[in-house]
Amino acid sequence: MLHCGPHTGSAARAELEITGDNSMEKKAQDSRKGAPHRAVPPAVGLLFSMALMNTLLYFCLDWFFISRPRSAPSSAHCPHGHFRMGQMKNCSPWLSCEELRTEVRQLKRVGEGAVKRVFLSEWKERKVALSRLTSLEMKDDFLHGLRMLKTLQSKHVVTLLGYCEEDNTILTEYHPLGSLSNLEETLNLSKYHGVNTWQHRLQLAMNYVAIIHYLHHSPLGTLVMCDSSDLPKTLSQYLLTSNFSIVVNDLDALPLVNHSSRTFVKCGHRELHGDFVAPEQLWPYGEDMPFDDDLMPSYDEKIDIWKIPDVSSFLLGHVEGSDMVRFHLFDIHKACKSQTPAERPTAREILDTYEKVLNLLRETVMSQTREML
């Protein structure tokens, strides 16, 4: 039988106090142990994610604005009389008449001009372009174009794969994106939206001016692009490659200027009209006097310079940033439109200006991006 005397009550109270203290201490320990496992607030996680994304965006933009598209292997690295295209690792000799007759399979007509018809064809499972003379009356122009192709092979000119003078045929590399006339239609396709930017468009304009510079300083001398009486005709002379650069395709009308011997040119034998052609290409004796080709003064390569602003404006299009590019090119383009041919800049000077504007605007965009980040 238990008795609850005074001593027994004191012991009980002491036990309760000890138990209470242990319970409080346990709660404090549990509280301390639980603190490190507390969930991270959503706002902190969001800020961390944004910081990480900004860092990645910074490096991506830096790469995007500084890097340039890689050029595909071209015949520029092949010996004269040889070619390389697409994924070919080695250079191959130009195809002969026999090889053109037996190895090339004509598929369908894809274009036609005054001098030649162009057929999509196939050679060793590769798509190629086979050109055939339209009529014997145009054979001199056809052979002139062939001579230009053979002599001017470079990164600026469509790759020659072979030819046969007996059959009046020329085989060149096929570019599925077609001529520059199709540029807007091509860039409007969803898969090309990524390159439909002022940067890529300005680089296309630089490609075009670089071609003009090459023709004005070609291995043959100063050549003038005469097949350029209006903008659509001019654009049709150039092809858009799969890596979004430009090559000149039609070289049938490239007369030679020689300043030393005072040899100048006239583009065709008919009267030209409009603002696209240079002023010196227009009949200078007024409407009262009928046009006479014998009385028409000749001119030099500066007619190509006059047309550069119009072609470049087309290439720049109307995407975000293109008007800013036009603003920075205003002075050089104004100089191109000088009524006095000798006062117009050279293609080299124009190309240098384009390069400076590209670098300036790239750095401006990069600086703005860095500030935002």
Side-chain angles (χ1 to χ4, degrees), residues 129-258:
L130 180 66
S131 299
R132 295 187 180 276
L133 177 66
T134 53
S135 67
L136 291 177
E137 296 175 0
M138 306 303 295
K139 184 162 185 175
D140 288 343
D141 290 336
F142 183 83
L143 294 177
H144 175 76
L146 173 58
R147 175 172 168 260
M148 294 294 106
L149 267 178
K150 291 163 62 177
T151 307
L152 301 178
Q153 283 297 287
S154 70
K155 66 179 182 179
H156 301 295
V157 179
V158 69
T159 301
L160 176 64
L161 310 181
Y163 63 92
C164 180
E165 292 189 28
E166 296 174 22
D167 298 341
N168 298 313
T169 56
I170 300 172
L171 192 70
T172 55
E173 185 174 7
Y174 175 68
H175 292 282
L177 296 182
S179 77
L180 276 186
S181 305
N182 304 325
L183 179 64
E184 291 301 325
E185 181 181 340
T186 299
L187 290 178
N188 283 333
L189 298 175
S190 58
K191 64 179 178 178
Y192 295 125
H193 282 178
V195 294
N196 192 15
T197 63
W198 68 262
Q199 294 93 338
H200 284 95
R201 284 175 171 270
L202 180 53
Q203 287 182 337
L204 285 177
M206 292 170 65
N207 288 162
Y208 167 70
V209 178
I211 292 172
I212 298 299
H213 172 70
Y214 175 69
L215 294 178
H216 290 180
H217 298 82
S218 80
L220 295 172
T222 303
L223 299 171
V224 180
M225 177 57 80
C226 263
D227 254 346
S228 55
S229 56
D230 55 45
L231 181 59
K233 179 65 173 176
T234 302
L235 296 173
S236 70
Q237 310 302 303
Y238 302 88
L239 296 174
L240 184 63
T241 70
S242 297
N243 66 328
F244 279 86
S245 60
I246 299 174
V247 292
V248 62
N249 179 55
D250 198 333
L251 304 173
D252 298 336
L254 282 180
L256 184 67
V257 166
N258 190 323

Side-chain angles (χ1 to χ4, degrees), residues 320-336:
E320 183 179 355
S322 61
D323 285 340
M324 181 58 68
V325 176
R326 286 186 180 88
F327 173 79
H328 282 84
L329 296 178
F330 178 82
D331 289 339
I332 192 70
H333 283 173
K334 182 179 178 181
C336 292

Side-chain angles (χ1 to χ4, degrees), residues 21-38:
D21 289 343
N22 289 341
S23 178
M24 290 176 64
E25 184 178 352
K26 185 176 181 182
K27 287 180 180 178
Q29 289 177 350
D30 289 345
S31 176
R32 286 194 298 270
K33 289 180 181 179
H37 299 286
R38 186 179 298 165

